[in-house]
């Protein structure tokens, strides 16, 4: 793999194989598997490749693997190239017939393999989205409870506002806007923190796993609009309770404890 040429040259020099001007085809290098008892082998480099997303940083033949490894080999996947002039359907049928003794094996084309890998990523994204939905539900309940407590604690303030001319409609709108402002503040903090950690993670993993960063503007807009809608729904009942308060009772309830009247001082010298 071209991306790890420098590292492998340093690894080879550490094992006493000397300096090399270039890590290219036709040159022979020694290597061994992990472990002090693993045997040593020499093989010839046939070529270099750029993309190692389907395997390791280097590939060797099965015979070479068996000569340097003491572990039982296991096949994860086998890559086959279709011969010229052979139809894809005929190739698939022939391979499936050869794998009848291995029911756990699956025959896939390049497109099917890519779709399978994308499906795994989509499944992970769906799980994250489901967790986000659960968090939104808890946030919905939290906003409703917080607003209900806020309305209860500001009973006298609401009564005073109503007494100086605030309409019920304006009062309901103020409670709803309060819910939207609190929600948008939380969404903004969550988006900023999530983007920072997401970009940092993309730079931490190899380029063959995540090669570029794309901001999901559409999904972010949906999250903002959805959170605002949930905030309005969560504020409906607290806003209704605030608008239906009796003005005089609200002012009286919020006036605090009454002090005892001073004793009558008449007739006292």
């Amino acid at each position: 793999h071209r991306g790890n040429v420098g590292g492998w040259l340093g690894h080879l020099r550490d094992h006493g194989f000397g300096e090399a001007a270039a890590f290219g085809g036709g040159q022979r290098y020694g290597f061994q598997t992990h472990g002090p008892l693993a045997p040593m082998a020499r093989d010839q480099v046939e070529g270099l490749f750029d993309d190692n997303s389907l395997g390791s940083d280097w590939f060797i033949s099965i015979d070479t693997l068996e000569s340097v490894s003491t572990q039982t080999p296991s096949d994860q996947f086998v890559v086959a190239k279709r011969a010229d002039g052979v139809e894809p359907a005929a190739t698939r049928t022939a391979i499936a017939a050869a794998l009848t003794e291995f029911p756990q094996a699956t025959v896939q084309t390049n497109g099917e393999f890519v779709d399978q890998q994308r499906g795994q990523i989509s499944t992970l994204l769906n799980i994250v989205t489901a967790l986000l939905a659960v968090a939104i539900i808890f946030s919905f309940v939290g906003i409703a409870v917080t607003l209900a407590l806020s309305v209860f604690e500001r009973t006298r303030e609401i009564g005073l506002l109503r007494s100086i001319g605030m309409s019920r409609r304006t009062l309901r709108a103020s409670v709803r806007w309060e819910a939207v402002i609190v929600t948008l503040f939380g969404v903004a903090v969550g988006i900023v923190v999530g983007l920072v950690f997401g970009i940092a993670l993309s730079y931490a993993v190899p380029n063959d796993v995540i090669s570029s960063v794309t901001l999901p503007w559409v999904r972010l807009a949906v999250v903002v609009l959805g959170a605002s809608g949930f905030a309005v729904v969560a504020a409906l009942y607290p806003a209704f309770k605030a608008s239906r308060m009796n003005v005089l009772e609200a002012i009286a309830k919020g006036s605090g404890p009454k002090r005892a009247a001073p004793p009558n001082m008449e007739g006292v010298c």
Side-chain angles (χ1 to χ4, degrees), residues 63-149:
D63 294 336
T64 304
L65 175 63
E66 293 178 350
S67 65
V68 299
S69 177
T70 58
Q71 299 179 357
T72 302
S74 61
D75 297 327
Q76 301 296 327
F77 62 92
V78 178
V79 180
K81 181 179 180 181
R82 180 167 53 87
D84 297 335
V86 180
E87 295 295 331
T91 303
R92 189 186 191 98
T93 302
I95 296 177
L99 296 177
T100 54
E101 298 181 0
F102 305 94
Q104 73 276 15
T106 303
V107 182
Q108 294 178 321
T109 63
N110 291 346
E112 292 173 346
F113 179 78
V114 172
D115 292 339
Q116 182 188 25
Q117 302 304 312
R118 290 177 177 174
Q120 295 178 359
I121 298 177
S122 299
T123 301
L124 179 61
L125 291 178
N126 291 335
I127 294 175
V128 174
T129 303
L131 295 176
L132 177 61
V134 174
I136 290 176
I137 293 174
F138 281 105
S139 301
F140 174 83
V141 176
I143 291 173
V145 173
T146 301
L147 289 177
L149 292 175

Side-chain angles (χ1 to χ4, degrees), residues 178-191:
E178 180 181 351
V180 172
I181 292 173
V182 172
T183 301
L184 290 181
F185 179 78
V187 170
V189 173
I191 289 177

Side-chain angles (χ1 to χ4, degrees), residues 41 46 57 79 95 154 161 169 180 235 237 239:
E46 299 295 341
D57 292 329
V79 180
I95 296 177
R154 294 185 296 177
L161 290 174
R169 181 178 181 180
V180 172
Y237 181 72

Side-chain angles (χ1 to χ4, degrees), residues 237-263:
Y237 181 72
F240 174 79
K241 289 289 291 183
S243 64
R244 302 303 296 180
M245 284 185 182
N246 184 282
V247 177
L248 297 179
E249 292 181 358
I251 296 175
K253 288 182 179 179
S255 60
K258 297 180 179 180
R259 296 181 179 180

Side-chain angles (χ1 to χ4, degrees), residues 17 37 45 62 140 150 252:
F17 293 109
L37 301 180
V45 177
I62 296 179
F140 174 83
S150 177

